[in-house]
């Protein structure tokens, strides 16, 4: 059974940084069996995919809004995927989720679509405010 636990959310000032963690159980990252995505949902808005990591190929994906500011990475020894968020803006305020897509289901061309992802964490809150 796949389980995901996000952590690292906090209140941070504009321009600051945070690192979110997604601890994975139920499969090992080194197996390359999944892709792992990061999504966020701001108040009153739909959930959006912001980054993903294909564990088999190592390919990373970013939406334009975070490209150049956020970095997705992995630590196979800890079975954890990270999202390093730099130069944070008030519009980055949201509940952040990680999710997994089995590699057989994952389509790189549609990496940001929720329907590809089957297992979700409970979310961690990021607030960017002065």
């Amino acid at each position: 059974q796949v389980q995901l636990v996000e952590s690292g959310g906090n209140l941070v000032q504009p321009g600051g940084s945070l690192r979110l963690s997604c601890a994975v159980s139920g499969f090992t990252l080194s197996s390359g069996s999944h892709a792992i995505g990061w999504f966020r949902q701001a108040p009153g808005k739909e959930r959006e995919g912001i980054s993903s990591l294909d564990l088999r190929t190592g390919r990373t994906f970013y939406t334009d809004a975070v490209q150049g500011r956020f970095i997705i990475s992995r630590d196979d020894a800890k079975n954890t995927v990270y999202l390093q968020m730099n130069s944070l803006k008030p519009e980055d305020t949201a509940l952040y989720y990680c999710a997994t897509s089995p590699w057989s289901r994952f389509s790189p061309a549609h990496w940001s679509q929720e329907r590809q992802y089957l297992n979700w964490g409970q979310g961690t809150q990021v607030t960017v405010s002065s």
Side-chain angles (χ1 to χ4, degrees), residues 57-74:
T57 65
R59 186 177 176 187
T60 58
F61 306 85
Y62 299 95
T63 191
D64 288 347
V66 307
Q67 178 74 51
R69 298 189 298 125
F70 291 9
I71 301 170
I72 190 169
S73 64
R74 63 194 282 182

Side-chain angles (χ1 to χ4, degrees), residues 1 16 19 36 54 63 84 88-89 92 94 99 106 109 112 120:
Q1 181 180 0
R19 188 179 75 164
I36 295 186
D54 183 338
T63 191
Q84 177 67 41
L88 284 162
K89 305 175 182 180
D92 294 318
F106 183 68
S112 64
W120 293 78

